[in-house]
């Protein structure tokens, strides 16, 4: 069967809606407190676990690992140990930002596209998206293990004790997980795992009620004692491969794929902005590039100013056009990172923004001589979770982890949800259509890692000292939301809490811009429509976190739209 490109684009743009989108949740505020050791995550149980590790003398990396283990239990819709991650570390010993890339990868026998069989036949992308075929080789545990080997202080096994106790004895049902579980279309998202969250009456338990996950507790015991290979202990490998082999679209992943995954360790992608240096995850994490390009194209401005927000949205659309054409796994494609972030290039791109009109179908800039490259029609999606930590020594972590769409591939094993990261690759190139020859930079290939919109952030001041730490959740809108948060805090003097509670506006959708329903951003609608934007009012399921230096300590905030909290000690 052949799928028209227009239909593939439509499917890609609507996949997030098929992923059990929760109804809007009323915001809940968290207040700033100056702390020396501090952590912010998307759930108070994860923040408490991370803080407990810090109090025992653990490093920021130790605390982030403990937090991620808990998030896999209480936020299976967003992150987990069978997903992917990018983890930024700033060390006071080197004053450098290092990235640990644990993003999910295609298996060794991958085809040209996830919705394409080995014989070239195109498959139904809607069904493939929530099947074992969409699962990427998980990289969270190898990346966390590598970071611990370099920056850990406490024994590896100790970091999983908080999550084990919660999984074995009972964790509190978070409001966002419950909202997703009771939403329309969620019945099949977790398969047998759904029973974990049901009461005696067969209904999803109430917020704050406790649930246990014995299979996850057992898996954590193996991981704690054996490292990442603990996933494969006993019958672990058999269980993983059995889950991946089920259904009409089984995975092409092998035991060797799972065992041989290697994280990539290298410098972060950093760019000067104002008097700061903004560092984020390098490609294939495309969200950071989009964020850096936006910052490089727009000056300071208030989110209440319709003229400024128009320029911001146009910069986002131009940056997204570059992402679609150029961003891919640098192990396979020569990504022109330096050219894309060159100040002269960004100034030229900013010159395309019209004061009173929206650009019709923004195109990528010509930064390399490769006219055959196609613009990837996909928007990378993500059910994501962000963590930021500072320890007593000044070591800093910003980590974003993801299973991609909510509940990933809707496939589980060992009490965990598999990612569906492979849908973030481009569709098969339309080589059979007249005038559309060429290839996508982001097309799938064996062991290649797809684009992701994640954008963990560490911002350094003029003395190379960290001044802000952050990260976002919310799929393709992450770059816009993080760029605006940085502008609010670092150029408009907003507190982290004010920045994260403000109404959102973003241009993540290719055919319209979004203003957040029920927020102060709705007041921007007339000005944006007058500038030629097609505006939709929608709920925004963001999950940003920010820590900001205050003297010798830190204040922080978690997005009030989710369950996040800040925890710390003086």
């Amino acid at each position: 069967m052949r799928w028209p490109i227009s239909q593939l684009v439509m499917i890609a743009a609507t996949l997030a809606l098929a992923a059990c989108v929760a109804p809007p949740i009323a915001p809940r505020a968290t207040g700033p407190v100056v702390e020396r050791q501090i952590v912010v995550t998307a759930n108070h149980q994860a923040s408490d676990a991370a803080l407990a590790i810090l109090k025992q003398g653990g490093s920021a990396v130790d605390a982030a690992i403990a937090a991620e283990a808990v998030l896999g239990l209480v936020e299976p819709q967003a992150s987990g140990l069978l997903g992917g991650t990018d983890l930024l570390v700033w060390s006071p010993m080197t004053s450098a930002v290092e990235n640990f890339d644990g993003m999910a990868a295609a298996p060794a026998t991958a085809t040209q596209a996830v919705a394409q069989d080995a014989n070239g036949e195109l498959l139904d992308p809607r069904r493939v998206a929530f099947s074992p075929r969409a699962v990427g080789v998980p990289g969270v545990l190898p990346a966390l293990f590598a970071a611990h080997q370099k920056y850990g202080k406490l024994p590896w096994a100790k970091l999983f004790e908080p999550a084990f106790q919660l999984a074995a004895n009972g964790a509190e049902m978070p409001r966002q997980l419950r909202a997703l579980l009771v939403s329309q279309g969620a019945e099949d998202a977790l398969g047998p795992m759904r029973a974990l969250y049901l009461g005696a009456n067969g209904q999803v338990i109430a917020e704050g009620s406790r649930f246990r996950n014995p299979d996850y507790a057992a898996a954590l015991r193996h991981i704690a004692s054996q490292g990442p290979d603990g996933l494969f202990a006993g019958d672990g490998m058999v269980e993983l491969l059995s889950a991946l082999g089920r259904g009409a679209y089984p995975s092409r992943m092998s035991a060797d794929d799972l065992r041989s995954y290697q994280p990539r360790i290298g410098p972060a992608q950093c760019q000067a902005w104002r008097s700061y240096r903004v560092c984020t995850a390098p490609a294939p994490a495309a969200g950071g590039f989009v964020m850096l390009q936006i910052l490089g194209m727009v000056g300071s401005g208030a989110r209440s100013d319709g003229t400024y927000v128009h320029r911001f949205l146009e910069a986002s659309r131009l940056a997204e056009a570059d992402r679609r054409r150029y961003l891919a796994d640098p192990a396979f494609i020569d990504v022109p990172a330096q050219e894309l972030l060159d100040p002269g290039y960004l100034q030229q791109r900013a010159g395309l923004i019209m004061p009173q009109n929206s650009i019709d179908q923004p195109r990528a800039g010509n930064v390399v001589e490769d006219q055959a490259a196609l613009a990837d029609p996909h928007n990378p999606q993500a059910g994501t979770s962000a963590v930021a930590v500072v320890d007593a020594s000044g070591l800093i972590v910003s980590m974003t982890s993801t299973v991609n769409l909510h509940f990933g591939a809707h496939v589980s094993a060992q009490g965990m949800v598999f990612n569906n990261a492979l849908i973030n690759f481009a569709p098969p190139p339309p080589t059979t259509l007249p005038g559309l020859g060429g290839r996508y930079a982001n097309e799938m290939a064996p062991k290649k890692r797809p684009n992701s919109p994640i954008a963990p952030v560490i911002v350094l001041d003029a003395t190379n000292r960290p001044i802000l730490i952050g990260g976002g959740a919310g799929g393709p809108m992450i770059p816009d939301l993080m760029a605006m948060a940085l502008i609010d805090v670092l150029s408009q003097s907003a507190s982290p809490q004010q920045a994260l509670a403000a109404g959102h506006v973003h241009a993540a959708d290719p055919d319209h811009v979004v203003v957040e329903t029920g927020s102060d951003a709705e007041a921007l609608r007339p000005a944006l429509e007058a500038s030629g934007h097609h505006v939709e009012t929608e709920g925004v399921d963001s999950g940003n976190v920010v820590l900001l230096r205050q003297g010798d300590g830190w204040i922080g905030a978690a997005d009030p739209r989710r369950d996040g909290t800040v925890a710390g000690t003086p």
Side-chain angles (χ1 to χ4, degrees), residues 87-91 94 96-100 150-151 265-268 458:
L87 183 146
L88 297 178
V89 181
W90 181 87
S91 168
T94 64
V97 183
E98 191 172 23
N99 185 63
F100 291 79
K150 186 166 184 178
Y151 295 108
I265 306 169
I458 296 177

Side-chain angles (χ1 to χ4, degrees), residues 449-473:
R449 303 180 189 191
N451 274 186
S452 169
I454 67 174
V457 176
I458 296 177
V459 181
L460 309 177
D461 66 13
T463 67
N464 216 33
R465 185 178 72 156
I467 190 74
L468 183 148
I469 315 159

Side-chain angles (χ1 to χ4, degrees), residues 105 218 316 385 474 495 531 560:
S316 171
S385 197
S495 70
S531 296

Side-chain angles (χ1 to χ4, degrees), residues 109-387:
T109 59
T111 55
Q112 192 177 19
V114 67
Q116 183 180 43
D117 222 335
N119 60 7
E121 179 183 356
L122 297 187
L123 310 173
D124 183 346
R126 292 168 295 188
R127 295 180 60 198
V128 169
F130 303 109
S131 77
R133 186 68 60 89
V135 177
V137 182
V140 169
L141 278 171
L144 295 182
F145 191 72
H148 179 262
Q149 286 183 309
K150 186 166 184 178
Y151 295 108
K153 289 184 178 179
L154 297 182
W156 170 262
K158 195 171 190 66
L159 311 180
F160 294 88
E161 191 62 29
F164 171 80
Q165 292 297 336
L166 288 170
N169 300 320
E172 292 179 15
M173 169 64 76
R175 61 172 180 157
Q176 195 202 29
L177 174 58
R178 187 181 188 280
L180 286 164
L181 289 171
V182 301
S183 63
Q184 185 176 4
E187 293 80 5
D188 299 325
L190 283 166
M193 269 187 66
R194 184 175 174 80
L196 299 173
Y197 314 111
L198 303 182
N201 62 357
Q203 302 299 309
V204 177
I205 61 175
E207 177 187 342
S209 298
R210 293 194 173 269
F211 66 92
R212 296 187 301 144
N213 189 335
D215 290 345
Y216 189 53
L220 290 175
R221 275 292 186 228
H222 291 306
I223 293 165
S225 63
Q226 301 177 45
D229 285 348
L231 270 179
F232 318 130
D235 295 330
M237 181 65 83
V238 172
E239 184 178 351
L240 292 171
L241 294 178
S242 175
L244 292 170
R246 297 183 188 131
Y249 299 117
S251 173
R252 301 181 65 84
M253 200 179 305
S254 69
D256 185 63
D257 288 318
L258 289 164
R259 290 187 184 277
S260 64
Y261 183 99
Q262 293 294 319
R264 299 175 185 166
I265 306 169
Q269 182 70 55
C270 299
Q271 178 79 355
W273 173 66
R274 293 170 57 83
S275 61
Y276 305 104
R277 189 161 181 81
V278 182
C279 297
T280 187
F289 275 93
V290 174
M291 177 190 68
L292 291 176
Q293 282 199 319
I294 294 171
L295 294 175
M297 280 188 265
V298 297
S300 299
R303 66 164 72 220
S304 59
D305 181 345
T307 301
Y308 175 76
V309 173
H310 161 69
R311 289 187 57 81
F312 180 95
L313 294 170
E314 292 295 274
S316 171
R317 297 174 70 224
L318 288 166
E320 182 64 16
D322 278 351
R323 192 279 301 172
R324 292 175 185 274
R325 179 171 175 182
Y326 294 116
L327 267 290
D329 188 338
F332 291 76
I333 297 293
D334 185 14
V335 177
Q338 185 174 348
E339 293 85 349
L340 289 170
L341 296 175
D342 179 80
Y345 172 72
L346 294 178
Q347 185 177 20
Q348 177 266 321
R349 294 287 278 170
L352 299 175
I353 299 174
M354 297 175 284
Q356 300 296 330
N357 293 288
S358 180
I359 301 169
D360 184 27
Q361 297 182 342
R363 296 180 180 274
N366 290 316
V367 297
V368 295
E369 295 298 325
D370 183 8
Q371 300 304 320
L374 297 173
D376 180 359
H378 270 132
N379 262 348
Q381 307 289 344
T384 46
S385 197
V387 173

